[in-house]
Amino acid sequence: ARREATVRLLRRATGPLVVAAPVTAAIQRLGPWLGLRRPIELSAGVEMAPDELAERLVGLGYVREDLVQHRGEFAVRGFIVDVFPGDAAHPARLEFAGDEIERLRAFSAATQTSISPIGGIAVPPARELLPDDDVRERARGALPRYRGHLRDVLERLSDGLFFEGMEQAIPLLFDRLPVLADVLPEAGWIVLSQARRVMDRAETTAGDAEALAEAMAWPGPPPVAGPEHALGGRARLDLTEFAEGEDLGIAGWGGLHGERLARRAAGLASDGYRVAVTGAGQGSVQRAVEVLERAGS
């Protein structure tokens, strides 16, 4: 659900934007529809019958239970609907007056007791693969190409069923799966911090995935993209650690501490240098400030 929300924000982004992601996320292929489905917006005053809401929640991959305890579950008891959005910290209890939501409250999944009133919630898809009409048709079309376990997965998808592990069929249904860079806004840059280590990690991960696919006799396209494909399609800036691979001839002030170090820092400040002082804690910084002030810095 968080990945869905992130990609949805990326697809709608228009202003300055920075996305930080581990390289394993950057090379993972995504469902082509990720971020395109709108969450269900629910707040007091919204008109939607409990049965209609239940039907829509099932369509987003939520499982109906007698008691809501985990993300991706919902329950209906008369004019009360409990739902645990996939990206929420707590489930929400919706109280209806007829077909209109009257109030919403967050509640504890452990004790089922109310925590506090809430203004509204957004309920995103609970799964990355939803067997809608398009997916069911694709699953039926792919059936002749596969046997065994994968054929069973496709058959269940073609029947519109939800089940654990259904996402493994995503690479079997689409010829092209995007990576994170593909959903960045136009003219977006890719910046690699610790570039050498990042690329090594990406190549190792992609190689491990390829070896696993070969061992499993995986018949579909790889779910992980090679680093050059995932990270090389846009303007890219590679950053390295300071002085990586070369000696800049920089040495510390060995033996200087206390008042002597403060006088050296004061001398640099008087010569026009900007001096930065850091400490392990607020007390250490305050003590340093006192020593520097006595030294005239």
Side-chain angles (χ1 to χ4, degrees), residues 147-295:
R147 296 289 183 270
H149 169 68
L150 294 178
R151 183 180 179 87
D152 178 62
V153 169
L154 292 171
E155 285 179 342
R156 297 168 74 182
L157 276 177
S158 66
D159 291 335
L161 300 179
F162 289 92
F163 53 94
E164 292 302 319
M166 59 192 294
E167 287 82 6
Q168 65 185 289
I170 293 176
L172 308 180
L173 302 177
F174 299 90
D175 295 330
R176 182 183 180 277
L177 298 177
V179 292
L180 183 60
D182 294 327
V183 297
L184 291 177
E186 291 296 327
W189 281 50
I190 295 175
V191 180
L192 301 185
S193 63
Q194 298 182 322
R196 188 178 303 175
R197 291 181 59 188
V198 166
M199 290 300 289
D200 287 347
R201 175 68 184 279
E203 290 171 359
T204 299
T205 301
D208 290 346
E210 183 178 351
L212 179 60
E214 183 177 350
M216 295 173 58
W218 175 251
V224 173
E228 288 302 329
H229 169 76
L231 305 173
R234 289 176 175 264
R236 195 174 94 191
L237 176 64
D238 289 1
L239 303 179
T240 63
E241 294 178 330
F242 187 62
E244 179 182 328
E246 58 182 280
D247 182 6
L248 299 182
I250 298 175
W253 291 345
L256 287 183
H257 59 277
E259 299 291 344
R260 292 179 61 197
L261 181 60
R263 287 195 295 271
R264 175 69 70 87
L268 288 173
S270 65
D271 290 340
Y273 287 93
R274 180 178 297 177
V275 180
V277 179
T278 64
Q282 185 60 36
S284 299
V285 173
Q286 185 58 43
R287 172 60 179 162
V289 169
E290 294 171 358
V291 174
L292 289 168
E293 288 177 343
R294 287 200 299 269

